[in-house]
Amino acid sequence: MEQQNDCSIQRGQPLRRYPNDYKAEGHSSTLNKTTTNQPQYSNTGRPTVRIAVYLMTGVFLTMEIEQNTTAQQIFTIVQSEAELGLSRFSLSTTTPVFALWMCSSQLEVQLRPTHKPVELAAKWNYLVNKYSSYAEDSDEEPLLYFRRNIFLSKSEEEQIKDIKVLELLYAEAKYNVLQGRYVCDGPARYASLGALQARIELGPYNAQTHTLAFFHRHRGRFLPHHYASPSLLLGLGLGLGLVGGKGAPEAHLLEQYKRIPSHNGSANANPKKLIRKYLEFCWNLPCYGAAFFQGQIERPVRGLASWITNRDMQILIAINTSGVFIVDDMQCSLLLGLKYSELSWEMAKPSDENNPDCLPCLFLQFPVRENGARVYKILQVFSRQAPMMDTLISGFAEDYRRQFINSDSNNDQLEHSLVFPSGSFTNKLSKFTLATFDDEGRCIGQMGSWSFR
């Protein structure tokens, strides 16, 4: 590959580990800062930049690259790094398992192979201000990550056998579970995942060490933030005296942990089997493998409250090969899930592009049964990232049409359209301000600001 030798990892720079809260502490990938320092030079005489690439397992690689080095060239270097052990695996899939991502707290972008990360980082603040609603005068620097490829389907991922690859996928899945992005349908599910994580990372259960007090102290390591928060436990009526008691989430986690076989000789206790079991659980979660975007929706209000200005609700929009999902990540709750077989959408530009409070939006239309009749609901999602979402949805929806246009699977589409992969999620339509249309396109119901159109 062109210039591959010029951007190889500098000798004497082994993999290094970073803390789990590295991103929160504001550390930089040095992509921006090094471009302003005195440049170094490669053996070709061209200026080079030192960068770091972060893996979800908690290590990062440093390398010197030329400023016009592409994402594909950096990707090849990471994949060929001997310490990672990724160069020897082969897959029967045609889609790459991983990709390079550029991320900050306000914006996450999967890079195309032809993107030039150093050049992209130089204009990151412009992109953040363009695509984020909450980052005025932001001076945040991006990190370069080696993460799961958004275009890898679940069926392709299920074919993967290599433990090094599975370890990277496990680390990323665990991160998204703990961040509240991979939403489960109840505390028992989170306890099961937390128990698997504990067995993988702590080893077999030890009654002397792995006590209820231990998991109470470390609950944030094994449970997502909405279950790990003391304020939530109090809100559930557990009381100060009962926090960490039998009804607490960490108590359920401990019970599940005890049930996992302790002997490594057991097939179910093999680390590779445990990692795969964790991933198999996550594969059934609706948002698995999604790209996440920030947005807001109008809260439903009724009665006198409808005359008072009501603040919009901040949400995450998760988009993957299966569909589009609306997530309340503060409560770790899945509000709406739409498969491409039922989804119609349209992006609208702001009516006043000079007004910073006037945002682009996505209109999401989907069918439901109401009083025995089929009607269509429309949800308006406001987000500066709407153009990015529109592009991604268009690509996935086109893939769906190509695969299933001649399929007989559309016959009972409406009856099965709201069934999620795990079979236990239901859409929470009462959380939304919606417009309702009949089969002929007549508006038969309006809420909130829809009433003024």
Side-chain angles (χ1 to χ4, degrees):
M1 185 174 66
E2 183 180 346
Q3 297 181 2
Q4 180 171 336
N5 293 332
D6 295 338
C7 46
S8 60
I9 298 174
Q10 182 175 343
R11 298 296 182 186
Q13 295 292 330
L15 299 181
R16 290 187 283 173
R17 184 164 294 276
Y18 62 92
N20 291 333
D21 56 351
Y22 197 89
K23 183 176 179 181
E25 291 179 358
H27 290 263
S28 157
S29 64
T30 71
L31 277 169
N32 277 351
K33 290 183 178 179
T34 53
T35 58
T36 61
N37 293 340
Q38 186 68 27
Q40 303 179 50
Y41 291 87
S42 67
N43 56 13
T44 64
R46 291 188 287 266
T48 61
V49 175
R50 178 175 295 279
I51 69 167
V53 181
Y54 298 89
L55 283 70
M56 301 305 289
T57 49
V59 300
F60 67 95
L61 293 78
T62 59
M63 63 184 78
E64 285 188 12
I65 62 170
E66 296 178 4
Q67 296 193 26
N68 63 351
T69 300
T70 65
Q72 180 60 53
Q73 290 173 307
I74 297 173
F75 177 90
T76 301
I77 293 169
V78 175
Q79 194 170 31
S80 61
E81 168 56 34
E83 288 187 64
L84 294 179
L86 298 176
S87 58
R88 58 184 176 81
F89 83 89
S90 60
L91 300 174
S92 58
T93 61
T94 57
T95 308
V97 178
F98 301 105
L100 283 186
W101 289 70
M102 190 166 286
C103 306
S104 66
S105 64
Q106 302 297 335
L107 184 63
E108 302 178 11
V109 178
Q110 178 173 313
L111 304 187
R112 297 192 186 102
T114 55
H115 273 138
K116 297 176 180 179
V118 175
E119 294 181 1
L120 193 62
K123 58 180 180 180
W124 189 253
N125 288 335
Y126 165 79
L127 295 173
V128 169
N129 289 322
K130 179 178 179 180
Y131 290 112
S132 172
S133 302
Y134 326 108
E136 293 183 7
D137 301 322
S138 171
D139 193 29
E140 189 177 24
E141 295 180 6
L143 296 174
L144 197 58
Y145 280 99
F146 187 81
R147 293 187 354 188
R148 187 187 186 278
N149 182 0
I150 177 63
F151 300 106
L152 180 72
S153 68
K154 294 179 187 178
S155 60
E156 288 178 304
E157 185 170 334
E158 289 169 357
Q159 301 176 37
I160 300 172
K161 308 296 182 185
D162 189 276
I163 184 60
K164 294 295 185 181
V165 179
L166 293 175
E167 285 174 351
L168 285 177
L169 293 170
Y170 158 76
E172 186 168 346
K174 177 186 70 174
Y175 171 84
N176 283 310
V177 168
L178 296 178
Q179 290 295 310
R181 290 184 164 193
Y182 287 175
V183 181
C184 294
D185 58 350
R189 301 280 185 174
Y190 286 114
S192 297
L193 283 171
L196 275 173
Q197 179 192 339
R199 179 62 179 83
I200 292 167
E201 299 178 9
L202 302 177
Y205 168 70
N206 182 322
Q208 301 300 317
T209 305
H210 305 132
T211 62
L212 186 56
F214 170 86
F215 282 107
H216 175 62
R217 287 195 306 272
H218 298 283
R219 60 182 180 267
R221 177 179 171 184
F222 301 102
L223 293 168
H225 59 79
H226 71 305
Y227 282 113
S229 168
S231 61
L232 174 79
L233 299 179
L234 292 173
L236 292 175
L238 295 176
L240 282 172
L242 293 179
V243 172
K246 290 185 178 180
E250 59 264 32
H252 294 297
L253 185 157
L254 178 57
E255 289 304 312
Q256 295 279 357
Y257 180 37
K258 289 178 180 178
R259 296 174 190 170
I260 301 175
S262 300
H263 302 292
N264 285 328
S266 168
N268 291 328
N270 180 285
K272 180 179 178 179
K273 295 283 187 182
L274 292 169
I275 286 174
R276 187 169 184 87
K277 189 173 183 64
Y278 189 101
L279 285 170
E280 287 173 351
F281 190 108
C282 291
W283 290 339
N284 286 321
L285 299 177
C287 296
Y288 183 78
F292 291 87
F293 303 88
Q294 298 174 346
Q296 58 197 69
I297 57 174
E298 184 180 354
R299 295 178 188 270
V301 290
R302 296 171 178 84
L304 291 176
S306 63
W307 296 97
I308 303 173
T309 300
N310 194 52
R311 193 172 180 181
D312 284 350
M313 176 181 178
Q314 305 300 326
I315 57 168
L316 287 180
I317 304 95
I319 301 172
N320 60 17
T321 56
S322 299
V324 179
F325 306 89
I326 306 298
V327 176
D328 177 356
D329 65 321
M330 291 301 296
Q331 299 297 324
C332 294
S333 174
L334 180 63
L335 304 179
L336 179 68
L338 303 171
K339 297 180 181 179
Y340 295 114
S341 59
E342 62 182 318
L343 172 66
S344 298
W345 80 100
E346 184 174 343
M347 192 199 81
K349 294 182 179 180
S351 56
D352 181 3
E353 297 192 18
N354 295 321
N355 182 352
D357 295 325
C358 194
L359 303 178
C361 66
L362 278 181
F363 292 97
L364 303 177
Q365 176 180 296
F366 54 96
V368 300
R369 286 208 176 274
E370 205 169 73
N371 300 321
R374 181 173 66 177
V375 297
Y376 294 89
K377 300 288 186 179
I378 296 182
L379 171 67
Q380 189 173 14
V381 177
F382 300 92
S383 174
R384 294 194 191 280
Q385 298 173 8
M388 302 165 66
M389 290 188 276
D390 178 50
T391 299
L392 194 56
I393 293 172
S394 297
F396 284 143
E398 181 59 32
D399 287 344
Y400 170 81
R401 282 192 290 269
R402 282 200 300 265
Q403 294 177 32
F404 298 105
I405 194 167
N406 296 321
S407 171
D408 294 329
S409 62
N410 295 325
N411 293 341
D412 299 319
Q413 174 181 313
L414 182 62
E415 285 71 18
H416 298 287
S417 62
L418 301 183
V419 177
F420 294 99
S422 64
S424 54
F425 286 97
T426 56
N427 287 324
K428 301 176 177 64
L429 299 186
S430 63
K431 299 287 186 179
F432 300 104
T433 297
L434 302 167
T436 306
F437 293 81
D438 63 15
D439 262 335
E440 297 181 2
R442 293 186 297 250
C443 183
I444 57 175
Q446 300 170 330
M447 299 173 62
S449 60
W450 285 100
S451 303
F452 299 95
R453 295 172 191 244

